[in-house]
Amino acid sequence: SAVISQKPSRDICQRGTSLTIQCQVDSQVTMMFWYRQQPGQSLTLIATANQGSEATYESGFVIDKFPISRPNLTFSTLTVSNMSPEDSSIYLCSVDQGIYGYTFGSGTRLTVV
Amino acid sequence: AQSVSQHNHHVILSEAASLELGCNYSYGGTVNLFWYVQYPGQHLQLLLKYFSGDPLVKGIKGFEAEFIKSKFSFNLRKPSVQWSDTAEYFCAVNALNAGGTSYGKLTFGQGTILTVHP
């Protein structure tokens, strides 16, 4: 299955600033997914990123807050903009590996102070 | 839209006890089903998956799950747990459209924390 490198693994940020999270996959994939896991909660899909098109956002998530780039078939970034303490979460990227299921990155643990 | 419900938030067992974690989903069409595990401090790992065929699927580390379509359930089982099974377990569903193509995204249940005492 694919290997996903996600960075940074963790960060502590000041409110009002932005953080960009990177995901690099070792093989070409059509769709990449960005999830959020808030403390003590399950994973919630933020958006689906296809190469060459705008990301598709789930209800409750907007592009201005979570802009996503997908410049090629192996790489994507998620930016958390104008952060507040409520954005403190683990952010994960994922790819669909077909018959092998979905593979997840190791996550970015974000704390906003 | 599909949703996933896991019955237990926290399960506490002693080693060698049997485990069953419940998972129900709501979606009227065809689904792919998954169980993921997250060990403390580690990332999500796939335990097992069901796409089609035999509704009883076996995964890694002695886990298995049974898909019961009539009950919209996909319960996870292990006959004898070990201390190393202490982790959080997530059930997830991927819905397919009428043509059998995935909508792409996974919908997760709330997660079940399993604590196994030695």
Coordinates of all heavy atoms in Angstrom, one line a residue, chain A residues 8 10-21 80-89 91 108-113:
Chain A
P8 N 3.9 19.3 9.3 CA 4.6 18.8 10.4 C 3.8 17.8 11.2 O 2.6 17.6 11.0 CB 4.8 20.1 11.2 CG 3.5 20.9 10.9 CD 3.3 20.6 9.4
R10 N 3.5 17.9 14.5 CA 2.8 18.7 15.5 C 3.3 20.1 15.5 O 4.4 20.4 15.0 CB 3.0 18.1 16.9 CG 4.5 18.0 17.4 CD 4.6 17.5 18.8 NE 4.1 16.1 18.8 CZ 3.2 15.7 19.7 NH1 2.7 16.5 20.6 NH2 2.8 14.4 19.8
D11 N 2.4 21.0 15.9 CA 2.8 22.4 16.0 C 2.0 23.1 17.0 O 0.8 22.7 17.3 CB 2.7 23.1 14.6 CG 3.6 24.3 14.4 OD1 4.1 24.8 15.5 OD2 3.8 24.7 13.3
I12 N 2.5 24.2 17.6 CA 1.8 25.0 18.5 C 1.8 26.4 17.9 O 2.9 27.0 17.6 CB 2.4 25.1 19.9 CG1 2.5 23.7 20.5 CG2 1.7 26.1 20.8 CD1 3.2 23.6 21.8
C13 N 0.6 27.0 17.6 CA 0.5 28.2 16.9 C -0.3 29.2 17.7 O -1.1 28.9 18.5 CB -0.2 27.9 15.6 SG 0.6 26.7 14.5
Q14 N 0.0 30.5 17.3 CA -0.7 31.6 17.9 C -2.0 31.8 17.2 O -2.1 31.6 16.0 CB 0.1 32.9 17.8 CG 1.5 32.8 18.6 CD 1.2 32.8 20.1 OE1 0.3 33.5 20.6 NE2 2.1 32.1 20.9
R15 N -3.0 32.2 18.0 CA -4.3 32.5 17.3 C -4.1 33.6 16.3 O -3.3 34.5 16.5 CB -5.4 32.8 18.4 CG -5.1 34.1 19.1 CD -6.3 34.4 20.1 NE -6.3 33.4 21.2 CZ -7.4 33.1 21.9 NH1 -8.5 33.8 21.6 NH2 -7.4 32.3 22.9
G16 N -4.9 33.5 15.2 CA -4.8 34.5 14.2 C -3.8 34.2 13.1 O -3.9 34.8 12.0
T17 N -3.0 33.2 13.3 CA -2.0 32.8 12.3 C -2.5 31.7 11.5 O -3.6 31.2 11.7 CB -0.6 32.5 13.0 OG1 -0.8 31.3 13.8 CG2 -0.1 33.6 13.8
S18 N -1.7 31.3 10.5 CA -2.1 30.2 9.6 C -1.0 29.1 9.6 O 0.1 29.4 9.8 CB -2.3 30.7 8.2 OG -3.4 31.6 8.1
L19 N -1.4 27.9 9.4 CA -0.5 26.7 9.3 C -0.8 25.9 8.1 O -2.0 25.6 7.8 CB -0.6 25.8 10.5 CG 0.2 24.6 10.5 CD1 1.7 24.9 10.7 CD2 -0.2 23.6 11.6
T20 N 0.2 25.6 7.3 CA 0.1 24.7 6.2 C 0.6 23.4 6.4 O 1.8 23.2 6.9 CB 0.7 25.4 4.9 OG1 0.1 26.6 4.6 CG2 0.7 24.4 3.7
I21 N -0.2 22.4 6.2 CA 0.2 21.0 6.4 C 0.4 20.3 5.1 O -0.4 20.5 4.1 CB -1.0 20.2 7.2 CG1 -1.2 20.9 8.5 CG2 -0.6 18.8 7.4 CD1 -2.5 20.5 9.2
V80 N -4.7 25.8 7.5 CA -5.7 26.2 8.5 C -5.5 27.7 8.8 O -4.4 28.1 9.3 CB -5.6 25.4 9.8 CG1 -6.7 25.7 10.8 CG2 -5.5 23.9 9.5
S81 N -6.4 28.5 8.4 CA -6.2 29.9 8.3 C -6.9 30.6 9.5 O -7.8 30.1 10.1 CB -6.9 30.5 7.1 OG -6.4 29.9 5.9
N82 N -6.3 31.7 9.9 CA -6.8 32.6 11.0 C -7.3 31.7 12.1 O -8.4 31.7 12.5 CB -8.0 33.4 10.4 CG -8.5 34.4 11.4 OD1 -7.7 34.9 12.3 ND2 -9.7 34.8 11.3
M83 N -6.3 31.0 12.7 CA -6.6 30.0 13.7 C -7.1 30.5 15.0 O -6.7 31.6 15.5 CB -5.4 29.1 13.9 CG -5.0 28.2 12.7 SD -3.6 27.2 13.1 CE -2.3 28.3 13.0
S84 N -8.0 29.7 15.6 CA -8.5 30.0 16.9 C -8.3 28.7 17.8 O -8.1 27.6 17.2 CB -10.0 30.4 16.9 OG -10.8 29.3 16.5
P85 N -8.4 28.8 19.1 CA -8.3 27.6 19.9 C -9.2 26.4 19.5 O -8.8 25.2 19.6 CB -8.6 28.0 21.3 CG -8.2 29.5 21.3 CD -8.5 30.0 19.9
E86 N -10.3 26.7 18.9 CA -11.3 25.7 18.4 C -10.7 24.9 17.3 O -11.2 23.8 17.0 CB -12.6 26.3 18.0 CG -13.4 26.9 19.2 CD -12.8 28.2 19.7 OE1 -12.2 29.0 18.9 OE2 -12.9 28.4 20.9
D87 N -9.7 25.4 16.6 CA -9.0 24.6 15.6 C -8.0 23.6 16.1 O -7.4 22.8 15.3 CB -8.3 25.6 14.6 CG -9.3 26.5 13.9 OD1 -10.4 26.0 13.5 OD2 -9.0 27.7 13.7
S88 N -7.8 23.6 17.4 CA -6.9 22.6 17.9 C -7.4 21.2 17.7 O -8.5 20.8 18.2 CB -6.7 22.8 19.4 OG -6.1 24.1 19.7
S89 N -6.7 20.4 16.9 CA -7.2 19.1 16.5 C -6.0 18.3 15.9 O -4.9 18.9 15.8 CB -8.2 19.2 15.4 OG -9.4 19.8 15.8
Y91 N -5.0 16.8 12.3 CA -5.4 16.8 10.9 C -4.7 15.7 10.2 O -3.5 15.5 10.3 CB -5.1 18.2 10.3 CG -5.9 19.3 10.9 CD1 -5.5 19.9 12.1 CD2 -7.1 19.7 10.3 CE1 -6.3 20.9 12.7 CE2 -7.8 20.8 10.9 CZ -7.4 21.3 12.1 OH -8.2 22.3 12.6
T108 N -1.2 15.5 11.9 CA -0.6 16.7 12.4 C -1.4 17.2 13.6 O -2.5 17.5 13.5 CB -0.6 17.8 11.4 OG1 0.2 17.4 10.2 CG2 0.0 19.1 11.9
R109 N -0.7 17.1 14.8 CA -1.4 17.6 16.0 C -1.2 19.1 16.2 O -0.1 19.5 16.4 CB -0.8 16.8 17.2 CG -1.5 17.1 18.5 CD -0.9 16.3 19.6 NE -1.1 14.9 19.5 CZ -2.2 14.2 19.9 NH1 -3.2 14.9 20.5 NH2 -2.3 12.9 19.7
L110 N -2.3 19.8 16.0 CA -2.2 21.3 16.1 C -2.8 21.8 17.4 O -3.9 21.4 17.8 CB -3.0 21.9 14.9 CG -3.2 23.4 14.9 CD1 -2.0 24.1 14.9 CD2 -4.2 23.8 13.8
T111 N -2.0 22.6 18.1 CA -2.5 23.3 19.3 C -2.5 24.8 19.0 O -1.4 25.3 18.6 CB -1.7 22.9 20.5 OG1 -1.7 21.5 20.7 CG2 -2.2 23.6 21.7
V112 N -3.6 25.4 19.2 CA -3.7 26.9 19.0 C -3.8 27.6 20.4 O -4.7 27.2 21.1 CB -4.9 27.3 18.1 CG1 -4.9 28.8 17.8 CG2 -4.8 26.5 16.8
V113 N -2.9 28.5 20.6 CA -2.9 29.2 21.9 C -3.2 30.7 21.8 O -3.1 31.2 20.7 CB -1.6 28.9 22.6 CG1 -1.4 27.4 22.9 CG2 -0.4 29.5 21.8

